[in-house]
Amino acid sequence: MSVLQGIQDTVQQVAEAISAALQIECEIVDDTMTIIAGTGAYKERINTKEENGQVDAGYLYGRVISNNQAYFIEDARSDPSYDPSVLVGQTEELAELCAPINYEGKVIGVIGLIAFDEVQHQFLLKNKLPLFTFLQRMSDLMTEKLTAADAFHNWKRSMRQLEVLIESIHEGIIAIDEQGVITTCNQAAQELIQQDKSELIGKKMKDVWPNSPMLNVLHSHQGYLEQEEIYTVGGHQMHLMITARPILIDKKTAGVVATFRRMADMRRLAYSITGETKDLLFTELKGNSRSLSLVLKQAQQVARGTSNILITGESGTGKGMMAAAIHSASNRRDGPFIIVNCGAIPETLLESELFGYAGGAFTGAKKEGKAGKFELADGGTIFLDEIGDLPLHLQVKLLHVLQSKQVERVGSNQLISVNVRVISATNKSLEEMVEMKEFRADLYFRLNVIPLHMPPLRERAEDILLLMDYFLAKYKENTNPQISCFTHEVKQLFLHYEWPGNVRELENAIEYAVNMETSSIIGLDAIPLRIKQYLHSSSVSTSNEKGSILELSLKDQLKQQEVQIILRMLERYGTTLEAKRTIAEKLEIGLATLYRKLESYSIS
C-alpha cells in the first residue's frame, strides 16, 4: 500500500474542497500511478491506473514523479507527451497544472488541476503562479506529520493562500455551511450584494437571498450551472447568473460554494464579443448644408445627456445613423446599442422581443426564458425605429418601462430594473396620430423630450454633389474602378430631382449607375428609370453634346406614369407589408406583381 492510499479519505476530501473552491477538476495519484482521489470524471476512476501505470513512459505524471518537478501543460490535446490518450485522439482535457507531492525527501504522488472548458483554461493561464504555490501548500497539508500546532499553522497558512486566490477572482464567491449560514465571501461578492463582508459572514442565506436554490443543494446534493436568479432586498435588486456546487465530505454535503456575476455585466461582455464594435461618428453624416449642420450641432450637444430623444424625418434621411452617432458620442458608448424596428417585427412577437418572456410563457418558449431588448440594452442605448407603428396595447407597457425603468417579462410578475436611454425615430406625424387617438399623448411626451428633425434631401440640395462623389468612391472601388465622375446632364438631373427616398435613394441610384455604366463617366443611360423619367415632367435641361433633347419612347412614358402612381400609393399608405397588400388590392394586381415592379423600377 502506498503512503497516499493510507490516508485516501483525507486525500479525497482535499480534492473535493479544492474543486469546490476553485471550480476546476482535481486529480491526485500516488507514486505507482494509481488514482487515489479525484473529482468529476476522475472520481469514477479512483483506484485505476493513469498512463497505463508506467512511470518511465515519459508522460506527464511520470515526468513529475521522476524529475520531482511541477509542470503546466497549456495545450494538452496537442501534446503527445501529455497522456497516451493524445495519441489516439481521445483526450478531453484542455490544459493541466500539476505538482509533485513530497514526503520525507521522496515524491509520493502528483496533484493536478485540470481544465475541461475555456473558462477553466483561462483561469489556469491567469493564475498559474499562485496556483503552483497553492498546490504545494495542499501537498504539504496531506503529508506533513508535525505537531498539532505546526499542522494548524500550515492549514491556516494554506487557507490564507486560498483566501488571497479567491479575492483575486473577479466573480463573486460565497459559501454556506450545512446550516445555510454564510461562512465565506470575497470582495466581489460584497460589492455585488452591497453589504460589508463582515456583515454577510454569519448571516443566514435566506436573509440575504430569500428562497435561494443554494439551500436546496444542501438537501439534493446536486449543484447547478449558470442559473438566472433575481433578488430584491432593501430596495436593491440583484439580477444575477449563479453557479453553485456542493462541498461533499464523507459522502455528505457539508456546504455549498457559489460563484456569480451581474446579468448586465454578462450581457455587456456578450455584446462586446458578438456585437458591432465600430463607432459611428457624426462626421459620417455627410453634408455641409445649413439645415444638416444645425441638427448635427443639436445632436452633439444633447448626446452627453440621458434624456430621451425623438428623431423625425422622411424615410432615407439618416435617422438610424443619427441615433448611432448620438450613442457613440454619449457616456454610454461602451454599453450596447440595441436596434428594434417596431414596424418590421410581427405584432404577436413584438412584446416578447421588447420585454422578454419567462420560461414556459407560451408554446415554443425556451424553458429558461429569454431577455428582451430592453434588458439587453441595460447600461446602453435602445433605438426604437418606426415607433409610430407600435400597437396601442404595447404603448402602455412601453410607457410603464420609461416611467419606472423596470421591465416585466411576458408571463412573469417579476420586475427587472434597467438603465437604458431611449432614442426613437419615425417618419410619421405623431402629433396627428395623437389627435386621431392612434398614439398615446403621455407616451409621445415621454419620447419627445428632445426632438431632432432630419431634413429631406430636397431641402439640402447643396449636399447632393458632395454625396454623389462620396457614394461613387464607395461603390466604384470593388465594382468599376475606372469610373471617375458624372456628366453635366446627370449632375443637373440629380440637383433638380426631388428625391422622395432621400439619401437612401441617392445612394441606391449611385450604386445602380456604377454597376450599369460601361465607360469612365456616368451618363444618363446608367441612371435608374424612375429618376430619368423626371426629365419628361420637368424643365431640367439635359442637352447632350450635339444639342438634341432627350425624349422618352411611348413605352418609357407609360413606365414613368406607372412609377409615379406606385410612388404616390407608397407615400399614401406606407411601406410596411400590410401597406403593400393594400396597394396591390387598390391597383387590382397581385402582391408578387407589385414586388416585381418595385424591383424592376429600383424603388426602395
Side-chain angles (χ1 to χ4, degrees):
M1 178 184 291
S2 68
V3 175
L4 288 177
Q5 282 179 320
I7 55 171
Q8 190 168 18
D9 290 342
T10 300
V11 175
Q12 178 63 25
Q13 292 173 12
V14 171
E16 290 179 352
I18 291 173
S19 178
L22 302 184
Q23 292 194 38
I24 197 165
E25 302 306 334
C26 178
E27 182 183 23
I28 300 174
V29 303
D30 65 11
D31 53 354
T32 69
M33 307 300 286
T34 300
I35 300 176
I36 301 300
T39 61
Y42 301 107
K43 189 173 183 179
E44 300 175 359
R45 296 175 53 200
I46 289 175
N47 295 327
T48 64
K49 296 289 186 179
E50 272 286 12
E51 301 175 4
N52 297 325
Q54 299 175 350
V55 176
D56 300 323
Y59 296 115
L60 175 61
Y61 285 176
R63 296 200 307 272
V64 174
I65 293 173
S66 300
N67 301 331
N68 191 17
Q69 182 178 342
Y71 288 89
F72 179 47
I73 306 300
E74 293 188 14
D75 187 3
R77 296 180 182 177
S78 301
D79 189 343
S81 65
Y82 172 68
D83 187 86
S85 61
V86 176
L87 302 177
V88 293
Q90 294 180 345
T91 305
E92 296 181 0
E93 297 88 344
L94 291 180
E96 180 165 353
L97 183 152
C98 58
I101 303 173
N102 290 284
Y103 178 63
E104 294 183 350
K106 179 184 176 182
V107 178
I108 62 169
V110 180
I111 180 171
L113 299 177
I114 305 95
F116 282 89
D117 59 40
E118 192 56 35
V119 173
Q120 295 173 342
H121 190 186
Q122 292 299 320
F123 176 76
L124 290 182
L125 284 172
K126 294 178 181 178
N127 299 282
K128 58 184 177 181
L129 292 180
L131 285 175
F132 274 131
T133 303
F134 176 68
L135 288 183
Q136 185 58 56
R137 295 294 176 265
M138 294 298 99
S139 173
D140 294 342
L141 178 65
M142 289 184 287
T143 60
E144 290 180 354
K145 302 294 184 180
L146 302 176
T147 63
D150 287 339
F152 177 77
H153 174 75
N154 287 331
W155 171 260
K156 189 175 181 180
R157 184 174 59 180
S158 296
M159 289 301 101
R160 179 55 185 162
Q161 179 72 33
L162 181 58
E163 287 176 7
V164 172
L165 183 61
I166 290 174
E167 289 294 346
S168 69
I169 297 173
H170 295 300
E171 290 186 332
I173 296 178
I174 195 166
I176 60 175
D177 62 16
E178 62 270 23
Q179 303 299 322
V181 175
I182 298 173
T183 58
T184 304
C185 72
N186 64 354
Q187 181 68 24
Q190 171 181 289
E191 294 173 357
L192 290 170
I193 299 175
Q194 295 187 11
Q195 290 188 37
D196 290 339
K197 184 176 179 179
S198 59
E199 296 177 0
L200 286 172
I201 294 176
K203 267 190 177 182
K204 291 186 176 182
M205 175 55 73
K206 65 179 183 179
D207 295 331
V208 178
W209 291 344
N211 301 315
S212 169
M214 282 181 67
L215 298 173
N216 296 333
V217 175
L218 291 173
H219 307 292
S220 67
H221 316 299
Q222 298 294 324
Y224 55 88
L225 297 175
E226 296 181 352
Q227 182 168 299
E228 186 177 359
E229 299 175 24
I230 302 174
Y231 303 102
T232 301
V233 179
H236 164 55
Q237 186 181 75
M238 293 167 274
H239 192 181
L240 308 170
M241 183 69 80
I242 299 179
T243 293
R245 295 188 178 186
I247 301 174
L248 298 175
I249 299 178
D250 293 335
K251 298 182 180 180
K252 295 181 180 180
T253 300
V256 182
V257 175
T259 61
F260 56 96
R261 61 193 310 178
R262 291 197 319 137
M263 282 295 297
D265 294 336
M266 295 191 69
R267 290 179 184 134
R268 191 173 293 112
L269 176 61
Y271 178 82
S272 67
I273 295 173
T274 62
E276 176 59 58
T277 56
K278 176 182 178 296
D279 289 335
L280 194 150
L281 307 177
F282 284 113
T283 54
E284 295 182 53
L285 282 86
K286 304 296 180 181
N288 298 319
S289 61
R290 184 178 182 278
S291 58
L292 181 64
S293 298
L294 179 60
V295 71
L296 285 175
K297 182 178 180 180
Q298 293 173 336
Q300 290 170 336
Q301 180 176 346
V302 302
R304 299 187 299 268
T306 59
S307 300
N308 296 335
I309 297 174
L310 177 63
I311 305 174
T312 57
E314 298 175 5
S315 295
T317 51
K319 298 186 292 295
M321 292 183 65
M322 176 63 80
I326 291 172
H327 170 75
S328 297
S330 72
N331 295 331
R332 296 169 175 263
R333 67 179 68 89
D334 295 328
F337 178 66
I338 303 298
I339 301 173
V340 182
N341 189 319
C342 300
I345 302 174
E347 183 175 337
T348 54
L349 299 178
L350 187 55
E351 182 176 11
S352 60
E353 281 295 311
L354 282 172
F355 310 117
Y357 60 81
F362 50 83
T363 302
K366 295 181 179 180
K367 64 179 182 179
E368 67 274 17
K370 180 183 177 182
K373 300 299 186 184
F374 269 90
E375 288 182 61
L376 296 178
D378 192 24
T381 304
I382 188 168
F383 175 48
L384 302 178
D385 199 7
E386 298 187 28
I387 188 66
D389 293 334
L390 190 68
L392 277 169
H393 73 280
L394 293 185
Q395 293 179 25
V396 178
K397 193 162 185 177
L398 175 59
L399 177 64
H400 173 75
V401 172
L402 297 180
Q403 291 174 332
S404 66
K405 300 191 181 299
Q406 291 180 315
V407 171
E408 183 177 330
R409 293 182 180 180
V410 176
S412 171
N413 57 7
Q414 177 72 56
L415 294 175
I416 300 172
S417 298
V418 290
N419 176 16
V420 176
R421 185 184 200 180
V422 177
I423 301 179
S424 306
T426 182
N427 60 4
K428 298 181 178 181
S429 173
L430 295 187
E431 293 93 336
E432 292 182 4
M433 293 182 68
V434 169
E435 291 180 3
M436 298 174 64
K437 307 299 183 183
E438 295 176 351
F439 202 89
R440 292 182 62 95
D442 45 7
L443 177 59
Y444 170 69
F445 291 119
R446 280 283 181 179
L447 296 173
N448 194 35
V449 177
I450 298 177
L452 296 176
H453 180 72
M454 297 298 293
L457 190 55
R458 62 182 174 273
E459 294 180 6
R460 39 183 289 222
E462 57 266 54
D463 293 335
I464 291 177
L465 295 180
L466 182 152
L467 289 168
M468 290 172 67
D469 291 338
Y470 173 75
F471 291 132
L472 175 60
K474 175 180 177 179
Y475 289 110
K476 76 172 186 176
E477 192 64 33
N478 297 323
T479 306
N480 194 350
Q482 66 172 336
I483 297 178
S484 59
C485 59
F486 304 88
T487 65
H488 174 73
E489 290 78 13
V490 171
K491 290 181 180 179
Q492 289 301 309
L493 174 58
F494 277 34
L495 284 171
H496 288 84
Y497 182 61
E498 292 188 355
W499 299 108
N502 294 291
V503 180
R504 186 185 294 122
E505 183 184 8
L506 175 60
E507 181 176 3
N508 175 275
I510 301 300
E511 183 178 7
Y512 175 89
V514 168
N515 281 274
M516 300 303 295
E517 185 57 65
T518 57
S519 68
S520 60
I521 301 177
I522 293 178
L524 289 171
D525 290 340
I527 300 304
L529 178 62
R530 68 180 184 280
I531 298 176
K532 196 159 52 178
Q533 290 169 359
Y534 182 71
L535 293 169
H536 183 72
S537 58
S538 69
S539 59
V540 179
S541 174
T542 56
S543 301
N544 59 23
E545 291 77 9
K546 296 181 181 180
S548 62
I549 303 299
L550 176 66
E551 295 182 358
L552 299 176
S553 67
L554 176 61
K555 181 179 179 181
D556 284 343
Q557 291 184 51
L558 291 173
K559 288 182 178 178
Q560 171 187 317
Q561 294 301 317
E562 191 170 63
V563 167
Q564 294 302 321
I565 291 171
I566 292 175
L567 289 175
R568 285 197 297 270
M569 297 292 276
L570 290 171
E571 182 176 357
R572 179 177 180 182
Y573 294 105
T575 58
T576 65
L577 175 60
E578 190 61 35
K580 289 172 184 173
R581 287 198 181 100
T582 302
I583 292 171
E585 181 180 347
K586 296 289 185 182
L587 296 178
E588 297 184 0
I589 60 176
L591 183 61
T593 301
L594 176 61
Y595 273 105
R596 283 197 299 271
K597 291 182 180 294
L598 292 173
E599 182 177 1
S600 173
Y601 299 144
S602 301
I603 298 177
S604 300

